[in-house]
Amino acid sequence: MHLYKHQELTVYNSLSKQKEKFEPIIEGAVGMYVCGPTVYSNVHLGNCRTFLSFDLVFRYLKHLGYKVRYVRNITDVGHLENDGESGEDPILKKARIDQIEPMEVVQLYSVDFHQVMNAFNALPPSIEPTATGHIIEQIQLIEKIINEGYGYEINGSVYFDVVKFNKDHEYGKLSGRNLEDMISNTRELAAQSEKKNPQDFALWKKAEPQHIMRWPSPWSDGFPGWHLECTAMSTKYLGNNFDIHGGGMDLKFPHHECEIAQAEACNHESPVNYWLHTNMLTLNGKKMAKSTGNNILPNELFSGENNILSKPFAPTVAKFFMFQAHYRSILDFSNDALEASEKGFFRLMDAYRSISEITPSNKSDFDIPNWRQSCYDAMNDDFNSPILIAQLFEATKFINSLKEGKAEITASDLELLQKTMHDFLFEVMGLVDISETSSNDGNKLSEAVELLIELRNQARANKDFATSDQIRDQLQEVGIQLKDGKEGTTFSLN
């Protein structure tokens, strides 16, 4: 069913800086590219928020009846530490520190990324290309850029001439930056750099002798620039002009700006019609950072093994919490906010489950068709998930009135109510119906084991070692191992 013919979707386009009616290039089909992870460490929650936001977009477009080709890459080479321009490749750095092959690093963290996305019940993309799998396409792209007069080679490396490109095009239009201002604000580093202009970015870097990941090219044995890979892969699978390009706001400059320049330089047309950017995630009101300890990984959130939150939270609850903020607004993770969100999640799920127990009558006290359209209106307004959730809570109030016998509903409206709740909870948001008891099982187990640890500590203090050993051994028999350390006793499940 082609719902898109009856729903007018608007999206906020970062390029025009306003909401626009969404009109795909080919009717009924959407091409969408999202910058994927650089796989050198565990995926962090901020990245998860971006990928879950685009999972919501992907799911809603599919729900509307569009045929969607969703391409999300894996960066497994070329992303240097300082915005892809200098420093060490983080994958190589991790491989050197752990004394393993770079591709072992890539495999380890690609698997972690997929497991986390699976835990969040995110749909896999249609195509998931890797940078290392598209070296030939990237070399061909560089040759094209050089032939167009916007690339130059120095000492085996190739750079994009931003100043020359800006004479014919507009460099900085996505991020709203002016090249003249950028040049005047740049410290004079020309003497230290082989580039013509400080703003020029690498298309190909000659590999130093110690650099393990390298490929032959017309210029040198080396590796491609980070910005180049996304242009090569997006245009290969979606064409020179496609519908949607997404990513985190932090990628707007320089990454996405450079993508536009590369594509326009060789294809003479704007690569993307709608640019969508997600906002950042904070933790307890501060930026998330490993260096400050104000950081939590998805698996630490799910297991409760962290010093920040009071208990574990199910992946679907964390996802629901993220959707309670609009993807373009800053979202702050905190224990109180997650607990409140968890209560709301279970209230919604209880209401949905109880619909099947309601007996219809011959009139309705709630305009279900109008309410259903209000759910679509929310999503049609730049994927406004908080407004959608508010509408679902409106329906929850009505369902509770029906359960209490304080309201009535016809059979056809009841069926429409159930279908709409199902569609938006599970098909569009991709939530998973877990019961409150299953969420609390982990908490109850922790509390029971902590009680046994306390009893064992008391037995040891009283020199009752027989009881202390019995508690430890019997827990071991059921797969719970106690570990005594300086900070006290902890436990793990075998």
Side-chain angles (χ1 to χ4, degrees), residues 78-90 152 157-162 171 189 192-206 208 211 223-228 253-255 258-259 262:
H79 186 174
L80 303 185
E81 288 168 323
N82 298 314
D83 282 332
E85 281 308 297
S86 61
E88 197 171 0
D89 184 324
Y152 60 93
S157 292
V158 183
Y159 296 97
F160 189 94
D161 192 331
V162 169
Y171 182 78
L189 297 172
Q192 302 169 28
S193 172
E194 58 189 11
K195 298 189 286 189
K196 285 183 186 176
N197 317 291
Q199 280 67 36
D200 294 352
F201 55 89
L203 298 171
W204 187 265
K205 292 284 274 187
K206 182 181 179 180
E208 298 294 326
H211 203 101
F223 54 94
W226 170 43
H227 312 307
L228 188 75
F253 187 88
H255 186 52
C258 295
E259 276 190 63
Q262 289 165 161

Side-chain angles (χ1 to χ4, degrees), residues 12-157:
Y12 182 86
N13 190 347
S14 300
L15 192 58
S16 65
K17 297 166 186 58
Q18 62 186 19
K19 286 183 188 175
E20 297 176 10
K21 182 183 176 185
F22 178 69
E23 294 181 292
I25 297 159
I26 300 166
E27 191 191 333
V30 177
M32 178 167 80
Y33 185 88
V34 172
C35 293
T38 302
V39 281
Y40 66 94
S41 63
N42 299 100
V43 64
H44 63 76
L45 273 176
N47 279 353
C48 290
R49 185 196 183 188
T50 292
F51 301 132
L52 291 178
S53 297
F54 286 105
D55 185 58
L56 180 73
V57 171
F58 182 36
R59 284 173 173 276
Y60 187 59
L61 291 170
K62 281 164 68 80
H63 173 75
L64 289 180
Y66 286 110
K67 183 182 178 184
V68 187
R69 178 179 288 176
Y70 173 21
V71 183
R72 187 185 66 209
N73 73 304
I74 296 273
T75 294
D76 56 357
V77 70
H79 186 174
L80 303 185
E81 288 168 323
N82 298 314
D83 282 332
E85 281 308 297
S86 61
E88 197 171 0
D89 184 324
I91 292 166
L92 277 177
K93 187 176 183 179
K94 181 72 174 167
R96 180 170 51 73
I97 292 166
D98 292 356
Q99 295 186 306
I100 57 176
E101 277 286 327
M103 279 299 151
E104 283 184 77
V105 175
V106 166
Q107 177 69 4
L108 179 68
Y109 294 113
S110 295
V111 168
D112 167 73
F113 171 64
H114 290 133
Q115 286 174 338
V116 169
M117 285 295 103
N118 196 42
F120 275 123
N121 195 35
L123 297 173
S126 322
I127 303 173
E128 193 171 48
T130 62
T132 54
H134 294 76
I135 300 293
I136 291 168
E137 288 86 348
Q138 292 175 78
I139 289 172
Q140 289 170 341
L141 199 60
I142 296 168
E143 289 176 326
K144 214 169 170 187
I145 291 169
I146 291 171
N147 290 339
E148 291 290 339
Y150 298 115
Y152 60 93
E153 183 259 336
I154 291 182
N155 301 329
S157 292

Side-chain angles (χ1 to χ4, degrees), residues 385-403:
S385 55
I387 301 295
L388 168 65
I389 290 168
Q391 292 297 340
L392 296 176
F393 277 125
E394 281 298 310
T396 296
K397 280 189 215 163
F398 177 59
I399 291 164
N400 290 336
S401 296
L402 290 169
K403 279 159 63 180

Side-chain angles (χ1 to χ4, degrees), residues 102-376:
M103 279 299 151
E104 283 184 77
V105 175
V106 166
Q107 177 69 4
L108 179 68
Y109 294 113
S110 295
V111 168
D112 167 73
F113 171 64
H114 290 133
Q115 286 174 338
V116 169
M117 285 295 103
N118 196 42
F120 275 123
N121 195 35
L123 297 173
S126 322
I127 303 173
E128 193 171 48
T130 62
T132 54
H134 294 76
I135 300 293
I136 291 168
E137 288 86 348
Q138 292 175 78
I139 289 172
Q140 289 170 341
L141 199 60
I142 296 168
E143 289 176 326
K144 214 169 170 187
I145 291 169
I146 291 171
N147 290 339
E148 291 290 339
Y150 298 115
Y152 60 93
E153 183 259 336
I154 291 182
N155 301 329
S157 292
V158 183
Y159 296 97
F160 189 94
D161 192 331
V162 169
V163 173
K164 186 172 181 192
F165 173 80
N166 194 56
K167 287 174 183 167
D168 311 317
H169 304 78
E170 187 189 347
Y171 182 78
K173 61 186 173 186
L174 178 68
S175 57
R177 299 183 186 214
N178 177 285
L179 185 59
E180 284 70 32
D181 293 343
M182 283 188 247
I183 291 168
S184 63
N185 291 334
T186 305
R187 289 199 199 99
E188 189 48 66
L189 297 172
Q192 302 169 28
S193 172
E194 58 189 11
K195 298 189 286 189
K196 285 183 186 176
N197 317 291
Q199 280 67 36
D200 294 352
F201 55 89
L203 298 171
W204 187 265
K205 292 284 274 187
K206 182 181 179 180
E208 298 294 326
Q210 70 273 18
H211 203 101
I212 308 167
M213 296 171 87
R214 56 172 68 218
W215 290 265
S217 80
W219 313 285
S220 64
D221 273 12
F223 54 94
W226 170 43
H227 312 307
L228 188 75
E229 66 180 73
C230 287
T231 300
M233 290 186 275
S234 61
T235 54
K236 172 166 181 166
Y237 297 110
L238 298 172
N240 291 343
N241 174 233
F242 56 93
D243 299 301
I244 296 172
H245 192 316
M249 245 173 210
D250 56 322
L251 297 180
K252 207 182 275 190
F253 187 88
H255 186 52
H256 291 161
E257 203 71 77
C258 295
E259 276 190 63
I260 292 172
Q262 289 165 161
E264 288 186 356
C266 30
N267 301 323
H268 309 289
E269 62 178 315
S270 184
V272 178
N273 289 357
Y274 304 93
W275 285 90
L276 274 59
H277 289 96
T278 57
N279 213 322
M280 64 189 283
L281 194 65
T282 55
L283 182 60
N284 292 324
K286 294 178 191 163
K287 190 178 177 184
M288 286 178 107
K290 282 184 195 170
S291 53
T292 60
N294 193 52
N295 187 56
I296 184 168
L297 291 170
N299 287 324
E300 294 168 343
L301 172 72
F302 307 154
S303 68
E305 291 174 13
N306 62 78
N307 303 319
I308 293 168
L309 305 173
S310 65
K311 61 174 204 169
F313 289 94
T316 196
V317 168
K319 184 181 189 178
F320 177 69
F321 169 68
M322 290 189 205
F323 289 162
Q324 285 188 286
H326 190 267
Y327 77 88
R328 284 192 291 114
S329 61
I330 292 174
L331 171 65
D332 186 51
F333 250 74
S334 72
N335 196 75
D336 290 351
L338 276 163
E339 285 191 343
S341 195
E342 185 179 58
K343 288 189 179 103
F345 171 84
F346 286 123
R347 202 160 74 243
L348 271 182
M349 291 299 161
D350 287 345
Y352 172 73
R353 280 195 294 267
S354 62
I355 295 173
S356 56
E357 300 160 17
I358 292 164
T359 306
S361 63
N362 57 5
K363 69 165 191 155
S364 288
D365 294 326
F366 192 64
D367 186 342
I368 299 296
N370 190 47
W371 164 78
R372 176 182 167 83
Q373 185 54 46
S374 69
C375 293
Y376 280 102

